[in-house]
């Protein structure tokens, strides 16, 4: 310990007085000294007035303690500093400090309300590095001790020591301290396990003082007691009470004494542990943990690293015990060089081999964690140099001085997910402070701040310098032409004098007012260099003034001391004599002769002794002192620097006049965020530190200050709270935290990750989804939640999407838009859907689009169906049809026809209000019995009495909701009489049993009946859709064509809700809505229609009959007559699709049929061939590609109806294809591939490996073609 510190701390020792001092208490009488009894009443009033003034003055000082470090209780022991802008507007904001250390071990602090670096009051203090937290700052001294600086505050730090006096009753003496051998000690703790005599309590360090003497606590259980503080019990293990009873054989009372921490605002040494073995000399410390995610506002933790690579944890740190109590070693698998603890539960350590360790399991219950996980360095070929962590960020500097950011870091995922290189300036170390703000020491030894760091963009936008002033001059000092250095400097001299690191700087001349002959020479108070005093030494010798100055090109590079975290070996020759110092830099004999040496004396403490081992942070300072110590012996040819005494002010060390050369920074206690208005963080403000440099460095600084407007590698984060449908059983909704993290590369490429953080059995876990792997984002209806499903290729195969739900519809839409935009950015998709896009709709009416590629229909290496990316298009439709000319038509649930009016590339989006109305149905089921007739009491094997149409799901009128929260009811429940098959007058349909077909009249064999209840709901939205009035439609079809086709008018056929056949005239890419409808006559209503290549029009009547329209051409768009096509035997077709040369149809039993024998000369074909079952809808494209919506996926019976499937192996030789590729599923209603004309070069398709994925093997039944009929 330094002498001045010893003297100052010894003065704080308790002065014993003859008068007993009792602590303040309302139930205790103070003992007044005898000297005060002679006071008169007026003197007593005057004394009270003085005390009142003292209290008022102390309150004022406590109010201004946040502005400047003042200690009202220790004014006699502490020096009060002047206030900088005491009552400015900025003083209303909380004032915090930024800490930094230069290469000479000097500690500086910078207030958020000030503009100047303030050096520590202790001029002898030399620290290697510091780590700051809220209200405190720790440091490692050159003596390997740990120092603590507690910020002054209104609330004093007091600790209560207590011990219990125990007595036992005996018949002779009553209650005495003579106890039984099995009893506790006469003086013990509350449990009686440890002896605690009054004289055994000692102050933990010189930073504490007793507030008073021991006194008895007169209260029992918080209530005043008249028993003198005694508590009675039958025996010691029993419960104590203030009431004395006949069987009370033991008693106890508590003695209390308070001690106060008096070292606030100064650097005080932490005492070594005694009797426990202290840790080896520490090389690094880090403070954190005061914002644990489990509970905020806790006390901080302190971690340390010894020079042998061990990790230590400081125990016992408490708001009332700021120093802590002891050190605990934490086992590590490898030797650690440096570590960093965040405010939360993050701890990262840097290994000597360049990799990193992450501490797992940090929590309030386990502050030291449970295990270590090793993480590789960001660059495999370059080792890591420094690591810094915050609440949810990790920054790393590698040995090439590049800065890296760890993405995906969270308390649930301390290891993160990957590294991102941060472009910009080279840095030597970084530190993460409050609000995850980032500070750094640059390669030029300047201090920098990361601009734009927010919770949504934790990587920030660019570096700016910390442009605060230093020294005692408030103005920017401009450089002068005459340099105070005569001749050439050695490397050691430059390292100890120059303040610049990457350029040769000029030194300022002395102030004429301060360079007079009577300027006192400061006494050496630190191991620093002081010129020889005297009148003759104030002015440089004439030879020095005429000495030539070498050019900057020939000058050697300045020597800058290095920090021990920036090198891999320790300095072993620290104690060598100064004789070896000239070997640092070689100089010519001519330069030596031209450079007269100055007479320089070392400090008295260092003269004649070897320089002790010091940390490498002070390597430059030690080298400078060694060189200066050899000043008298430099006349034999060594080079030296000539100083003007006026340049060294009182208590100003070497190199300080030009500003510190920084080596360490800590912002853990500096409360700054991206919106803070701090004068020394303005990108346009330059401090005196840079104004005195040469033009080249000035331009370099100005370029750095403009960095925030330039975009480099960055990370953007959106966080929120959602609900997650848990993957495992029992499945239920779980509250989770989500974070969408997006990184932007220098070339503009973006990639994003969605993290979901949850807790299982008090263990923090997470799951993540790479946005580039997301295949669809689909809104869903789950238990009235605003939910959406996130699909990936793997989750599509497993048929288990990630389902998340928001509290409101707006939150759900915001997340959907955000995720969709990130998915499109990752895949390079922008703008409206292309002409080749695949269109689809879900059962809720959402419109989904997939951008087709050549690989989608390639004969070889076909894109897997589960890898397709679907994005949502604004609007709401029941079905959508398109073609390759960019025409898209849709039909709402209420039959309204819409045409896509989306923008073409380069045009603005035109949105229109879109409304849709649909009906929601539930079925009431009943069974007949001989006693009561038809009732709602069914058999145990029957379907629910209220169900959906299939009878597999129970649906009542009470628990049935609209398809999504966007829908709203517009009517009440009513019986629906418009049901296929007819109903009776009450709406009932009858059947022999539930699985069979229902009819509208009752027979003797009908034992079950049902009727349908309907209720209408309405949705209003906006989208790029234009309404086509006035006829409501039930089906529509656009003629498919190849990509290179050009058509003046595109044939469009449709069916009205009444079954009428319509042909739209005037449809073209310039007029997608067309001009008018042309009615095509039929003798019965139709339910499905499709037009294929060469104007082939096929249709299905409502009774299942198939028709082909003949003689359709551009000149005769309506054709001439209908040709009847026989249906498959015992099957009723319900939907068909015609491609370029093929026709596929789906029957009522979900079977897929292919029409054989189609030829230009015989377009009706010859027979139907069964392809597969389990099909709901089919779509055939212009390349004869076949896509379907399947009822379900084999092996997943719980999958929701509606899965997109692709027919593989379709080609000229195999128009029927070979197998199915199942893609995204769960609620798909319709698909259209008729716009995908992106034809890839065809090649023979190899036979599929393994069994076919079709649920049913194909059967080749054939049927003859029908005859033409006149309509």
């Amino acid at each position: 310990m330094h002498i001045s510190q010893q003297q100052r701390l010894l003065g704080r020792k308790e002065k014993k007085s003859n008068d007993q001092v009792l602590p303040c208490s309302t139930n205790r009488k103070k003992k007044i000294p005898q000297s005060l009894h002679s006071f008169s009443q007026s003197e007593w009033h005057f004394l009270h007035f003085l005390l009142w003034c003292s209290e008022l003055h102390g309150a004022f000082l406590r109010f201004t303690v946040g502005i400047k470090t003042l200690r009202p209780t220790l004014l006699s022991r502490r020096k009060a500093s002047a206030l900088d802008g005491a009552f400015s507007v900025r003083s209303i904001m909380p004032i915090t400090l930024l800490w930094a250390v230069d290469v000479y071990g000097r500690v500086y602090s910078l207030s958020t309300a000030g503009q100047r670096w303030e050096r520590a009051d202790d001029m002898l203090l030399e620290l290697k590095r510091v780590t700051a937290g809220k209200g405190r700052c720790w440091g490692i001294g050159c003596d390997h001790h740990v120092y603590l600086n507690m910020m002054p505050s209104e609330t004093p730090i007091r600790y209560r020591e207590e011990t219990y006096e125990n007595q036992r009753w005996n018949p002779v003496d009553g209650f005495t301290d003579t106890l039984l051998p099995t009893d506790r000690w006469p003086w013990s703790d509350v449990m009686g396990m440890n002896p605690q005599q009054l004289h055994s309590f000692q102050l933990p360090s010189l930073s504490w003082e007793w507030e008073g003497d021991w006194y008895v606590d007169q209260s029992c259980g918080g209530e005043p007691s008249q028993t003198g503080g005694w508590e009675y019990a039958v025996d010691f293990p029993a419960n104590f009470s203030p009431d004395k009873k006949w069987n009370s054989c033991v008693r106890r009372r508590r003695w209390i004494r308070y001690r106060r921490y008096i070292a606030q605002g100064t650097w005080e040494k932490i005492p070594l542990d005694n009797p426990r073995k202290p840790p080896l000399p520490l090389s690094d410390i880090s403070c954190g943990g005061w914002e644990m995610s489990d509970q905020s506002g806790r006390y901080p933790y302190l971690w340390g690293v010894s020079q042998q690579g061990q990790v230590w944890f400081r125990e016992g740190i408490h708001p009332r015990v700021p120093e802590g109590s002891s050190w605990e070693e934490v086992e590590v698998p490898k030797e650690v060089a440096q570590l960093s603890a965040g405010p939360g539960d993050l701890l990262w350590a840097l290994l000597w081999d360049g990799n990193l360790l992450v501490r797992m399991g940090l929590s309030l219950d386990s502050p030291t964690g449970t295990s270590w996980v090793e993480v590789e360095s960001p660059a495999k070929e370059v080792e890591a140099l420094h690591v810094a962590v915050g609440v949810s960020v990790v920054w790393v500097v590698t040995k090439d001085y590049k800065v890296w950011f760890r993405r995906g870091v969270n308390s649930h995922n301390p290891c993160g997910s990957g590294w991102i290189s941060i472009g910009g300036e080279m840095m030597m170390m970084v530190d993460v402070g409050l609000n995850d703000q980032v500070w750094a020491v640059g390669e030029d030894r300047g201090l920098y701040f990361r601009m734009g760091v927010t919770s949504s963009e934790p990587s920030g936008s660019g570096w700016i310098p910390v442009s605060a002033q230093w020294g005692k001059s408030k103005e920017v000092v401009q450089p002068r032409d005459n340099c105070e250095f005569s001749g050439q400097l050695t490397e050691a001299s430059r390292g100890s004098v120059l303040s610049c690191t990457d350029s040769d700087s000029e030194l300022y001349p002395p102030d004429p007012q301060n360079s007079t002959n009577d300027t006192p020479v400061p006494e050496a108070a630190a191991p620093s260099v002081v010129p020889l005093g005297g009148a003759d030494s104030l002015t440089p010798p004439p030879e020095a003034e005429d000495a030539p100055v070498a050019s900057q090109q020939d000058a050697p590079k300045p020597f800058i001391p290095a920090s021990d975290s920036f090198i891999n070996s320790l300095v072993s020759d620290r104690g060598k004599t100064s004789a070896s110092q000239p070997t640092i830099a070689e100089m010519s004999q001519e330069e030596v002769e031209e450079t007269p040496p100055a007479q320089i004396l070392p400090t008295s403490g260092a003269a004649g002794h070897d320089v002790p081992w010091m940390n490498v942070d002070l390597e430059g300072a030690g080298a400078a002192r060694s060189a200066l110590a050899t000043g008298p012996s430099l006349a034999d040819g060594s080079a030296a620097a000539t100083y003007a005494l006026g340049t060294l002010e009182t208590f100003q060390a070497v190199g300080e006049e030009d500003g510190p050369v920084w080596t360490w920074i800590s912002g853990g206690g500096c409360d700054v965020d991206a919106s803070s208005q701090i004068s020394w963080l303005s990108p346009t403000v330059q401090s005196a530190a840079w104004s005195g440099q040469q033009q080249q460095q000035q331009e370099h600084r100005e370029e750095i200050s403009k960095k925030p407007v330039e975009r480099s590698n960055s990370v953007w984060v959106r966080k929120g709270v959602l609900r997650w449908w848990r993957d495992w059983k029992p499945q239920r909704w779980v509250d989770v935290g989500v974070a969408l993290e997006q990184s932007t590369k220098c070339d503009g490429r973006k990639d994003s990750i969605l993290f979901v953080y949850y807790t299982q059995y008090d263990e923090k876990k997470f799951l993540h989804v790479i946005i580039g792997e997301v295949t669809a984002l689909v809104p869903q209806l789950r238990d009235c939640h605003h939910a959406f499903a996130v699909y990936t290729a793997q989750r599509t195969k497993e048929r288990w999407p990630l389902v998340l739900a928001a509290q409101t519809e707006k939150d759900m839409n915001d997340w959907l838009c955000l995720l969709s935009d990130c998915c499109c950015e990752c895949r390079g998709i922008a703008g409206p859907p292309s002409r080749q896009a695949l269109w689809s709709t879900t059962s809720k009416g959402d419109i989904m689009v997939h951008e087709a590629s050549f690989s989608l229909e390639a004969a070889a290496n076909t894109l897997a169906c589960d890898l397709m990316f679907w994005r949502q298009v604004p609007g709401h439709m029941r079905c959508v049809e398109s073609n390759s000319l960019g025409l898209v038509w849709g039909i709402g649930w209420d039959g309204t026809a819409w045409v896509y009016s989306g923008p073409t590339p380069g045009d603005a989006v035109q949105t229109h209000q879109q409304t849709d109305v649909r009906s929601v149905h539930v079925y009431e089921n009943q069974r007949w019995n001989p006693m009561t007739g038809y009732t709602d009491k069914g058999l145990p094997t029957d379907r629910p009495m209220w169900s959906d149409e299939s009878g597999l799901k129970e649906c009542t009128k009470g628990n049935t909701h609209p398809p999504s929260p966007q829908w709203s009811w517009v009517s009440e429940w009513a019986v629906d009489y418009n049901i296929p098959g007819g109903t009776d007058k009450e709406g009932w349909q009858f059947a022999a049993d539930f699985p069979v077909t229902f009819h509208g009249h009752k027979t003797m064999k009908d034992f079950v009946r049902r009727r349908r209840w309907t209720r209408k709901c309405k949705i209003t939205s906006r989208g790029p859709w234009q309404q086509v009035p006035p006829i409501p439609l039930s089906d529509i079809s656009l003629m498919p064509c190849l990509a290179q086709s050009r058509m003046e008018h595109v044939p469009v056929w449709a069916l009205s809700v009444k079954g009428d056949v319509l042909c739209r005239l005037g449809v073209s890419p310039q007029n997608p809505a067309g001009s008018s409808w042309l009615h095509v006559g039929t003798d019965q209503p139709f339910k499905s229609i499709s037009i294929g290549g060469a104007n082939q029009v096929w249709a299905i009547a409502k009774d299942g009959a198939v028709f082909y329209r003949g003689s359709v051409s551009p000149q005769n768009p309506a054709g001439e007559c209908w040709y009847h096509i026989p249906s498959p035997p015992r099957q009723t077709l319900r939907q068909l699709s015609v491609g370029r040369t093929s026709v596929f149809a789906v029957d009522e039993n979900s079977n897929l049929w292919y029409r054989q024998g189609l030829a230009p000369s015989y377009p009706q074909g010859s027979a139907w061939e069964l392809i597969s079952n389990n099909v709901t809808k089919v779509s055939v494209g212009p390349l004869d590609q076949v896509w379907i919506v399947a009822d379900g996926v084999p092996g997943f019976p719980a999958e929701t109806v509606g899965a997109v499937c692709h027919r593989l192996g379709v080609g000229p030789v195999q128009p029927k294809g070979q197998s199915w590729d199942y893609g995204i599923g769960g609620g798909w209603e319709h698909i259209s591939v008729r716009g995908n004309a992106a034809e890839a070069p065809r090649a023979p398709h190899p036979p599929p490996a393994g069994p076919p994925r079709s649920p049913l093997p194909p059967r080749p039944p054939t049927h003859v073609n029908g005859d033409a009929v006149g309509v």
Side-chain angles (χ1 to χ4, degrees), residues 410-413 717-724 734-740 753-759 765-769 802 804-805 815:
N410 189 277
S411 60
H412 296 255
N413 180 24
V717 177
R718 162 73 184 275
K719 298 180 180 179
V721 178
L722 298 176
R723 306 200 74 190
W724 168 49
V734 179
D735 293 330
V736 296
V738 294
L740 176 62
I753 301 178
L754 177 65
F755 294 92
V756 178
Y757 304 105
Y758 64 96
T759 303
K765 295 185 177 182
F766 76 100
L767 55 90
H768 70 280
V769 177
L802 175 67
L804 300 172
W815 275 103

Side-chain angles (χ1 to χ4, degrees), residues 610-638:
D610 293 338
V611 179
W613 189 92
M614 303 172 67
N615 187 270
V616 292
D617 283 336
L618 306 180
E619 180 180 355
R625 292 168 188 146
S626 300
L628 293 172
T630 59
S633 63
L634 291 178
D636 56 352
S638 300

Side-chain angles (χ1 to χ4, degrees), residues 517-576:
N517 293 343
D518 57 352
T519 302
V521 179
E523 182 180 357
S528 56
V529 180
V530 180
L532 180 63
D536 297 335
S537 63
L538 294 177
T539 307
E543 296 83 2
E545 296 178 357
D546 301 334
V549 180
S551 62
Q552 295 182 359
Q553 289 80 0
D554 301 332
K557 188 175 181 179
F559 173 79
I560 300 300
S563 173
D564 58 349
S565 66
F566 307 136
I567 63 175
N568 293 329
S569 61
L570 298 175
V571 179
S572 59
D573 55 348
R574 176 67 70 175
K576 293 185 179 181

Side-chain angles (χ1 to χ4, degrees), residues 785-975:
H785 286 82
H786 302 274
F788 60 93
V790 181
Y791 285 87
T792 62
Q794 183 64 30
R795 289 183 173 271
T796 299
K797 293 178 182 179
E798 298 173 355
R799 324 312 297 184
W800 193 262
L802 175 67
V803 181
L804 300 172
Q807 294 293 334
T808 63
E809 178 184 351
K810 181 179 182 300
D811 291 341
M812 183 193 71
N813 292 332
D814 291 345
W815 275 103
L816 279 175
C817 294
L818 185 61
L819 293 172
S820 180
D821 292 343
C822 292
C823 291
C824 294
E825 289 177 351
C826 292
R827 298 176 179 267
I829 300 175
S834 65
R835 297 183 175 183
Q836 313 295 328
L838 277 66
W839 292 74
S840 180
T841 59
T842 66
S843 58
K844 293 169 64 276
D846 300 312
I847 306 170
M848 313 298 293
V849 174
H850 169 72
E851 296 296 337
S853 61
F854 290 107
S855 61
L856 188 61
E857 302 296 341
N861 301 322
T862 305
L863 177 66
C865 203
D866 49 30
L867 296 177
M868 298 171 59
F869 170 67
W870 296 89
R871 58 170 172 153
Q872 188 173 358
V873 174
H876 191 275
M877 298 290 174
R878 179 178 60 85
C879 66
V880 176
E881 288 291 333
S882 65
N883 76 345
S884 59
L885 297 180
L887 300 176
V888 182
W889 280 62
I891 301 176
W893 287 92
D894 57 358
T896 304
W898 303 85
V899 63
Y900 183 70
S901 61
T904 57
D907 294 340
V909 179
Q910 298 179 359
T911 60
H912 309 275
Q913 183 174 353
Q914 183 182 6
T915 60
D916 197 0
V917 178
R918 66 178 300 182
S919 298
V920 178
H921 307 296
V922 295
Y923 285 82
E924 180 184 3
N925 306 305
Q926 291 185 356
R927 176 174 287 276
W928 181 86
N929 66 70
M931 301 296 297
T932 59
Y934 285 102
T935 65
D936 56 0
K937 304 296 183 183
L939 299 177
T941 57
D942 282 343
R943 61 181 63 185
M945 292 298 100
W946 289 88
S947 67
D948 59 358
E949 184 177 6
S950 64
L952 301 177
K953 181 181 179 182
E954 183 178 7
C955 298
T956 65
K957 291 190 291 184
N959 64 9
T960 301
H961 303 281
S964 69
Q966 290 83 1
W967 293 84
S968 59
W969 295 117
V970 293
S971 70
E972 297 297 330
W973 290 103
V975 177

Side-chain angles (χ1 to χ4, degrees), residues 166-215:
N166 306 305
Q167 292 185 356
R168 177 175 284 277
W169 181 87
N170 64 71
V172 178
D173 302 323
F175 283 99
T176 65
D177 56 359
T178 303
L179 306 179
L180 299 178
T182 57
D183 284 341
R184 59 185 64 182
W185 284 271
W187 295 85
S188 68
D189 58 2
V190 64
M191 301 302 297
M193 304 299 295
N194 301 312
Q196 292 184 166
Q197 294 288 340
L198 292 179
H199 61 80
S200 65
F201 288 86
Q202 302 293 332
L203 292 174
S205 67
L206 298 178
S207 302
W208 295 83
E209 69 176 7
W210 293 111
E211 286 189 346
D213 206 349
W214 289 98
Y215 68 90

Side-chain angles (χ1 to χ4, degrees), residues 29 412 544 912 998 1144 1161 1201:
K29 296 183 179 180
H412 296 255
H912 309 275
F998 285 83
F1144 285 81
S1161 59
V1201 175

Side-chain angles (χ1 to χ4, degrees), residues 1110-1131:
S1111 304
V1112 179
S1113 65
Q1115 294 76 22
N1116 186 17
E1120 294 181 356
C1121 61
W1122 292 101
Y1123 291 88
H1124 180 262
I1125 309 296
S1127 300
R1130 298 181 302 277
Q1131 299 295 335

Side-chain angles (χ1 to χ4, degrees), residues 57-337:
H57 182 59
F60 170 75
L61 292 179
R62 286 192 297 270
F63 172 74
T64 59
V65 73
I67 305 173
K68 198 66 179 178
T69 57
L70 297 177
R71 304 212 37 249
T73 59
L74 298 174
L75 289 179
S76 60
R77 303 181 179 93
R78 294 292 183 267
K79 178 180 66 176
S81 302
L83 298 179
D84 293 338
F87 295 100
S88 62
V89 177
R90 189 179 300 274
S91 64
I92 301 176
M93 300 176 60
I95 300 175
T96 54
L97 298 179
L98 175 68
W99 296 87
V101 181
D102 67 359
V103 293
Y104 303 101
R106 297 187 291 253
V107 183
Y108 294 84
S109 62
L110 179 59
S111 172
T112 54
Q115 298 180 356
R116 184 180 306 279
W117 287 100
E118 298 290 344
R119 187 177 174 184
D121 293 338
D122 190 353
M123 304 301 293
L124 297 178
L125 179 66
E126 291 182 349
L127 299 182
K128 296 185 289 185
R129 57 186 60 181
V130 294
T131 175
K134 279 191 173 181
R136 70 195 68 205
C137 186
W138 302 77
I140 300 179
C142 296
D143 54 359
H144 312 304
H145 281 271
V146 178
Y147 290 80
L148 171 63
N149 189 330
M150 290 294 299
M151 300 298 103
S153 63
E154 297 180 352
T155 305
I157 301 176
R158 303 169 69 241
Y159 185 79
R160 184 181 66 190
E161 299 282 9
E162 62 180 27
T163 184
Y164 283 83
E165 180 184 1
N166 306 305
Q167 292 185 356
R168 177 175 284 277
W169 181 87
N170 64 71
V172 178
D173 302 323
F175 283 99
T176 65
D177 56 359
T178 303
L179 306 179
L180 299 178
T182 57
D183 284 341
R184 59 185 64 182
W185 284 271
W187 295 85
S188 68
D189 58 2
V190 64
M191 301 302 297
M193 304 299 295
N194 301 312
Q196 292 184 166
Q197 294 288 340
L198 292 179
H199 61 80
S200 65
F201 288 86
Q202 302 293 332
L203 292 174
S205 67
L206 298 178
S207 302
W208 295 83
E209 69 176 7
W210 293 111
E211 286 189 346
D213 206 349
W214 289 98
Y215 68 90
V216 176
D217 184 11
Q218 299 290 341
S219 63
C220 296
E223 298 293 335
S225 174
Q226 302 299 327
T227 62
W230 291 107
E231 295 178 316
Y232 299 88
V234 177
D235 205 352
F236 283 115
N239 296 327
F240 286 85
S241 68
D243 300 328
K244 182 181 178 182
K245 302 178 181 179
W246 65 271
N247 59 348
S248 298
C249 299
V250 295
R251 68 176 182 177
R252 70 176 185 182
R253 62 178 175 179
R254 183 173 64 169
W255 288 74
I256 296 176
R257 193 180 190 185
Y258 284 90
R259 53 183 168 92
R260 180 191 295 267
Y261 188 80
I262 59 175
Q264 287 181 285
T266 61
W267 289 95
E268 302 299 337
K269 183 182 296 185
I270 302 302
L272 297 177
D273 301 333
N274 188 21
R276 296 186 59 179
K277 178 182 177 182
L280 296 173
L282 298 179
S283 61
D284 186 45
I285 55 175
S286 182
C287 177
W290 63 84
E291 291 182 0
M292 279 286 186
S293 58
D294 302 79
Q295 182 178 355
S296 60
R298 300 286 294 186
Y299 45 87
Y301 300 138
L302 182 66
W303 296 78
V305 177
S306 67
Q307 294 178 353
Q308 282 70 28
Q310 301 169 334
V311 174
W312 295 82
F313 175 78
R314 185 68 176 175
E315 293 180 323
I317 297 179
H318 191 271
R320 296 188 300 272
V321 187
E323 302 168 311
S325 58
S326 61
W327 291 97
E328 175 188 354
E329 184 178 359
V330 180
E331 297 293 334
V332 289
K334 298 181 181 180
E335 294 181 351
V336 175

